Structures are given as structure tokens and as C-alpha cells.
Amino acid sequence: MVEASARHILVQTEAECEALKKEIEAGRDFAEVAEDRSLCPSARNGGDLGVFGPGQMVPEFDRVVFNEEVGKVHGPVKTQFGYHLVEVTSRT
């Protein structure tokens, strides 16, 4: 079975998500941004969601985690929870 690990940042607006993505692309640490700004409880772990398989996350999130490039920040990804920046940290 395919498994992946990822970290994410959850915010309320697409504009905030885009602004945070620019900060990260300019060199700000993803985990630091997650701790400072993410609305998800995973923020205290730098946005780390651990290891999971397909179907354990919402479909929009799964599409990114199981199809997009590892090690790159993707998003904004809109889900029922808000807007996410997603970094796939590994996939097997």
C-alpha cells in the first residue's frame, strides 16, 4: 500500500495562503510558519501530519499528497476546512 507523510498549514482565506506560500518560497521555514499561523492542531508540530494512506485525509488533500512532487510546497488547496499549503515530505 502507498503511504505518504506530509505537513501542512491551514488558514481561512486563499489570499493568506498565497501570502504565506510566498514567505516560504522566499526562505522562511515551513514549520515556523505553521507554528505561527496554522489553524490546525498540527501547528504545534510544525504542521507535521505523520504517515498516512490514501483515504485517510479529505479527497482534495489526498490528490495533492499522492500525485504531486515530493519536497515542494503545493497550494492553496481548498477543502471544507479552509485553505492549505501542503508539503509532501515522503511517499512510498
Side-chain angles (χ1 to χ4, degrees):
M1 181 175 108
V2 177
E3 287 188 321
S5 61
R7 51 189 188 167
H8 81 131
I9 298 168
L10 172 64
V11 294
Q12 290 184 350
T13 69
E14 187 173 12
E16 183 179 8
C17 202
E18 290 282 5
L20 294 177
K21 186 174 185 179
K22 286 179 183 169
E23 287 184 30
I24 292 164
E25 288 172 344
R28 189 160 178 218
D29 182 64
F30 189 101
E32 179 183 295
V33 175
E35 288 171 5
D36 289 348
R37 304 293 294 276
S38 183
L39 302 173
C40 182
S42 68
R44 67 179 147 263
N45 299 321
D48 188 6
L49 297 169
V51 178
F52 52 91
Q56 291 185 271
M57 302 291 178
V58 293
E60 302 89 345
F61 204 89
D62 265 11
R63 274 194 286 282
V64 172
V65 172
F66 293 102
N67 294 293
E68 300 297 333
E69 185 178 343
V70 174
K72 184 177 177 197
V73 177
H74 304 280
V77 177
K78 186 178 189 313
T79 71
Q80 66 198 37
F81 303 104
Y83 292 87
H84 306 257
L85 290 179
V86 181
E87 181 185 33
V88 183
T89 53
S90 72
R91 184 170 51 234
T92 58

